[in-house]
Amino acid sequence: MKILYKVCFNESRLNSRPLCNSIQDMVSACLLSVVKQMDTNDEIIFFLDGDDPLDTIQTICNKYKINYNIKSFNYSCAVRINKECFLYIINDVTDKDELIYMCDDDYLHYNNCLDNIKDFLTTYPQYFCHPIDYPNLYENKKEYNQFSEIVVTKNWHWRSVKSTTVTFAFTKHMFTKHYSIFTSITESLYWDHYQNLLYVFDKCFSPIPSLTTHIETDCLPYCIDNKNIYNNNLKEC
């Protein structure tokens, strides 16, 4: 699996962040939660927007002896960082069956998340995977009401969803199939969640129960001890 990890240590991002007291702590805890699940066949490529003042990335990656590469930018712009991820897929991922996981730095991983994502994409390579069970799917609001298809993998249940963030997984084949959507991203389309256009043509599934926590207000999944998981990871940093 290629993990395209978008990371920024700018403390101005702290607003609307439950659980954490600083962006440094959040990035450290979330990164650790990913790295300690990686195996020797995985590679994580960091798309670093700005500085890493405490060399957190190298410290954690070297500790766990994983395959990694750091690409440094100074955009202060999520749109441009996502475009860099797409350019990497176009130019550096040659195997059409390669599993690709694009991930933002504010997702805390647990429940063997990476193994379950791999299992899902191996079983259903024609679908997309969004590894969180968002709370809005349980709200009785017209805009959220939707019928869901349920599928299973070896160890997990998944339900179809119609919207995601840009933390999601897919094969290189699915990227190539939807090349025009991925590469048409603009500032306005990004904030309108361009990726949801993908699910008009092909299905996306989220896990039940969740495999990650998105550390953002109103995004913490239900039935998960988010605070305890976060604090335990932070202690390991």
Side-chain angles (χ1 to χ4, degrees):
M1 172 182 277
K2 300 285 188 183
I3 303 169
L4 311 188
Y5 201 84
K6 299 163 283 181
V7 57
C8 176
F9 288 89
N10 191 331
E11 289 292 338
S12 66
R13 303 170 58 216
L14 188 58
N15 291 337
S16 304
R17 301 282 180 181
L19 306 180
C20 62
N21 295 316
S22 73
I23 292 298
Q24 176 69 46
D25 283 354
M26 181 194 75
V27 172
S28 299
C30 290
L31 174 56
L32 180 68
S33 74
V34 174
V35 165
K36 65 185 182 181
Q37 293 188 30
M38 292 174 60
D39 62 35
T40 55
N41 295 316
D42 298 325
E43 181 182 12
I44 186 167
I45 300 91
F46 294 95
F47 295 80
L48 173 62
D49 196 2
D51 298 324
D52 180 358
L54 301 180
D55 290 328
T56 300
I57 294 174
Q58 292 190 48
T59 300
I60 291 177
C61 290
N62 289 338
K63 176 180 178 181
Y64 283 86
K65 297 181 174 61
I66 52 92
N67 298 319
Y68 73 99
N69 187 14
I70 301 175
K71 296 182 177 294
S72 297
F73 307 92
N74 195 25
Y75 293 147
S76 298
C77 176
V79 178
R80 296 183 70 179
I81 288 297
N82 276 275
K83 284 184 175 180
E84 292 291 347
C85 290
F86 300 151
L87 285 173
Y88 178 86
I89 296 172
I90 293 167
N91 295 323
D92 294 275
V93 181
T94 57
D95 183 354
K96 67 180 178 61
D97 298 319
E98 181 70 66
L99 309 185
I100 301 167
Y101 178 32
M102 286 183 61
C103 183
D104 288 313
D105 62 4
D106 55 357
Y107 281 76
L108 187 68
H109 295 64
Y110 44 81
N111 284 341
N112 296 315
C113 179
L114 294 188
D115 283 346
N116 280 297
I117 291 176
K118 294 171 188 175
D119 191 28
F120 178 88
L121 291 178
T122 301
T123 307
Y124 304 104
Q126 73 277 27
Y127 297 151
F128 293 91
C129 172
H130 185 47
I132 183 170
D133 186 31
Y134 268 113
N136 63 6
L137 295 172
Y138 297 93
E139 295 178 3
N140 188 25
K141 295 182 179 179
K142 185 177 180 179
E143 62 266 34
Y144 296 137
N145 285 343
Q146 59 180 269
F147 291 105
S148 290
E149 178 183 349
I150 304 296
V151 299
V152 296
T153 51
K154 181 170 58 178
N155 297 312
W156 230 255
H157 286 76
W158 306 77
R159 64 165 162 186
S160 59
V161 295
K162 298 183 182 299
S163 62
T164 73
T165 65
V166 196
T167 288
F168 63 143
F170 44 88
T171 63
K172 172 64 184 288
H173 167 74
M174 292 301 287
F175 178 87
T176 303
K177 180 179 179 180
H178 295 288
Y179 180 88
S180 60
I181 294 177
F182 279 106
T183 56
S184 64
I185 182 175
T186 62
E187 188 81 24
S188 59
L189 190 56
Y190 175 84
W191 295 112
D192 285 340
H193 301 291
Y194 76 93
Q195 68 278 4
N196 295 337
L197 294 173
L198 299 166
Y199 318 135
V200 175
F201 306 99
D202 288 290
K203 296 175 184 177
C204 181
F205 286 81
S206 286
I208 309 173
S210 195
L211 298 173
T212 65
T213 282
H214 187 186
I215 304 178
E216 181 74 68
T217 300
D218 298 327
C219 291
L220 303 184
Y222 294 131
C223 306
I224 299 292
D225 191 348
N226 301 288
K227 185 176 182 179
N228 186 53
I229 294 172
Y230 177 82
N231 287 338
N232 285 339
N233 273 272
L234 192 57
K235 289 176 184 177
E236 293 184 48
C237 294

